[in-house]
Amino acid sequence: MLKRFRVNNFKSLLNFEFKPSGLNLLVGQNNAGKTNLCSSLRFLCLSSFVSLENAILNAVRESWNLTNVHVNGNSELEFEADCLLTHEKQPLDFSYKLRLRVKQEKTGGQQVFQVIEETLNVTGGLFQQTVLLENRGGKARILREEEVIQNDMDAPRYIETSSPHDTTMLSKLYELQENPRATLFKRYLRSWLYFSFSPDALRSPDVLRDRGFLGCDGTNLSHALFRLHNEKPRLEKKIVDMLKPIEPNADLLSYLSPDPEHVYMFLEDDQGHRFSPFSMSDGTLRFLATVYLLVRLSEISQEIGMQPLVMIEEPENGLYVGHLKPLLQKIDPSGTGGQFIFTSHNPYFIDLFDNNLDGLHLIKSGKPSSVLVKPDPEKVRSLLDKMPLGEMYFREMLA
């Protein structure tokens, strides 16, 4: 579980610290920094298995203009993450730090990213603030964790090596028996998921052949449901049943797969009438994708042995908010089964968090940096008898 995240000099975020709970809602006006926070989290996730350039391109869709424009001369980006994970039933506290240098290319205007410093520490059991891996300007070392367990003090504990400047050590870390804790942290970062659903992407029959899950914009929904239909039909039936409040005539999902690159999904009623995704509203498709996520994530958590971090931007777009209430009630606010971060402007969606005030975070725009304000739960709770939470947000009473 992510306990603390700090990012510095990324877009509008300067020395910005975020301490999430199990179920979180980010609110704030347009351009306040909500998406920038999600993008910085997504970048850290991606950097654990792809190059820095690819991580940036996938996280923010461009590889320039990343540092804060109000701070001249600062060409460094910083990311820190403190997490609590479990290895062989033992709780472990991980602390990860990544510091990058951004260099402007002389031709083309693109930016190049280089690792200045990368460290991963762990505390728990025999490990007390122990460095698992460290990279300083390409000079790197990796701990032989099992030698610490065996208390072999004479054996060399660290493997000295070199690391490319354009990737993190985590992305190059082999999942060996010698370093199960570092591998655990890498797998945890890789489990983070980000979604901003696009109706066009949700309607697409295109198959992402390298995955059986959703793309960040909702691409691959038809293929993901088709795989569920073939492999775990009971879960597919559960999804159809959860869809009935918004589509009362939904009886089953059916599919056509004319080639390996496409799967066409249809919703059928009890008389066999078919409806394609183009007959479904944008909100219905977003609801279907959200239901799929919740159903699959509880199972994925059991499969990978950890609770992923899931970010979903504005899930209520085009959707009657009341349909989302029973879905949110299925999420354990303690983080069991997954840690969630939602963003929203909708007062009615914000109202759904009146029993989870510890997970409410207000982000305000500012110069030179966005500012995170944590509303006082007791103060907000005392006002709920007078007005709903969404109205407090609308009236700017949460700060």
Side-chain angles (χ1 to χ4, degrees):
M1 184 172 180
L2 178 65
K3 299 193 300 180
R4 170 184 168 271
F5 176 74
R6 175 183 169 273
V7 57
N8 185 39
N9 203 25
F10 181 91
K11 295 287 189 177
S12 67
L13 308 178
L14 280 175
N15 198 25
F16 191 96
E17 188 172 83
F18 173 53
K19 294 181 178 180
S21 61
L23 177 59
N24 303 273
L25 175 64
L26 306 179
V27 298
Q29 297 181 8
N30 296 98
N31 297 315
K34 302 184 299 297
T35 295
N36 286 344
L37 175 56
C38 291
S39 296
S40 62
L41 286 161
R42 190 176 178 218
F43 165 75
L44 192 65
C45 158
L46 293 167
S47 71
S48 67
F49 60 96
V50 300
S51 70
L52 296 175
E53 182 178 6
N54 285 336
I56 286 291
L57 287 173
N58 279 278
V60 299
R61 304 296 178 91
E62 62 183 13
S63 61
W64 65 285
N65 199 29
L66 293 175
T67 55
N68 189 291
V69 296
H70 301 296
V71 180
N72 296 322
N74 187 353
S75 61
E76 294 186 4
L77 299 171
E78 296 179 1
F79 304 85
E80 296 177 8
D82 296 339
C83 310
L84 176 63
L85 304 175
T86 301
H87 175 67
E88 296 180 346
K89 299 183 179 180
Q90 182 180 69
L92 298 173
D93 284 299
F94 289 90
S95 179
Y96 181 67
K97 180 176 182 179
L98 178 64
R99 190 157 59 96
L100 309 176
R101 178 179 293 112
V102 182
K103 297 179 64 177
Q104 194 82 21
E105 284 188 336
K106 294 182 179 180
T107 59
Q110 295 295 313
Q111 292 184 326
V112 178
F113 309 95
Q114 297 180 342
V115 176
I116 302 174
E117 178 185 358
E118 178 186 10
T119 56
L120 175 63
N121 294 352
V122 66
T123 294
L126 296 175
F127 299 84
Q128 298 299 317
Q129 289 295 321
T130 304
V131 176
L132 294 180
L133 59 82
E134 183 179 51
N135 175 16
R136 297 185 182 276
K139 187 177 180 180
R141 59 178 182 149
I142 303 173
L143 179 68
R144 297 178 184 266
E145 298 174 27
E146 291 309 300
E147 292 182 2
V148 176
I149 297 296
Q150 296 169 9
N151 200 27
D152 189 354
M153 304 302 293
D154 296 328
R157 291 194 175 192
Y158 286 93
I159 301 173
E160 305 288 341
T161 184
S162 60
S163 180
H165 291 287
D166 60 348
T167 62
T168 64
M169 281 188 72
L170 280 180
S171 68
K172 298 297 183 181
L173 180 67
Y174 293 108
E175 298 190 8
L176 302 176
Q177 294 182 351
E178 292 182 341
N179 46 30
R181 290 155 193 82
T183 296
L184 175 67
F185 180 80
K186 174 180 177 174
R187 289 176 55 232
Y188 173 64
L189 282 191
R190 290 194 64 169
S191 75
W192 292 4
L193 299 167
Y194 170 85
F195 299 99
S196 181
F197 293 131
S198 158
D200 288 341
L202 290 167
R203 290 186 173 95
S204 173
D206 295 345
V207 168
L208 300 180
R209 300 191 67 182
D210 61 338
R211 66 168 66 187
F213 206 64
L214 296 182
C216 63
D217 60 356
T219 307
N220 214 45
L221 176 62
S222 295
H223 181 226
L225 288 168
F226 183 50
R227 287 190 59 170
L228 211 59
H229 173 81
N230 292 327
E231 298 171 5
K232 301 185 178 182
R234 286 185 176 82
L235 288 184
E236 183 199 38
K237 183 180 184 302
K238 184 176 181 180
I239 290 173
V240 174
D241 290 342
M242 292 173 69
L243 188 62
K244 286 184 182 297
I246 194 170
E247 287 288 352
N249 295 322
D251 187 57
L252 58 86
L253 294 171
S254 60
Y255 310 88
L256 288 177
S257 182
D259 58 69
E261 306 297 331
H262 301 90
V263 171
Y264 295 88
M265 174 188 67
F266 302 91
L267 184 67
E268 292 192 18
D269 62 16
D270 58 3
Q271 297 181 19
H273 298 127
R274 278 185 167 185
F275 305 92
S276 77
F278 292 93
S279 300
M280 304 179 198
S281 71
D282 295 354
T284 298
L285 287 167
R286 284 195 176 93
F287 185 84
L288 177 59
T290 304
V291 168
Y292 169 83
L293 276 177
L294 293 180
V295 168
R296 286 287 287 128
L297 279 172
S298 60
E299 186 180 58
I300 289 173
S301 297
Q302 295 177 3
E303 291 175 358
I304 65 177
M306 61 184 66
Q307 291 72 44
L309 174 71
V310 185
M311 296 164 272
I312 305 179
E313 298 244 36
E314 302 181 6
E316 77 284 357
N317 279 350
L319 182 63
Y320 170 58
V321 173
H323 290 312
L324 291 173
K325 185 174 183 178
L327 298 189
L328 288 181
Q329 289 175 340
K330 293 181 181 296
I331 299 176
D332 188 337
S334 70
T336 301
Q339 196 173 8
F340 286 82
I341 298 173
F342 295 94
T343 70
S344 181
H345 295 284
N346 189 308
Y348 299 107
F349 184 75
I350 295 170
D351 282 343
L352 301 182
F353 285 76
D354 58 5
N355 288 323
N356 190 56
L357 298 177
D358 289 336
L360 181 63
H361 310 266
L362 173 65
I363 299 181
K364 302 179 68 174
S365 60
K367 188 174 181 180
S369 173
S370 299
V371 178
L372 188 144
V373 178
K374 195 72 176 66
D376 183 349
E378 293 303 320
K379 181 178 179 181
V380 173
R381 197 172 287 113
S382 68
L383 295 173
L384 284 175
D385 290 336
K386 300 178 181 178
M387 68 182 71
L389 186 62
E391 182 71 13
M392 291 184 219
Y393 167 69
F394 177 75
R395 296 189 181 204
E396 300 185 359
M397 298 173 60
L398 296 179

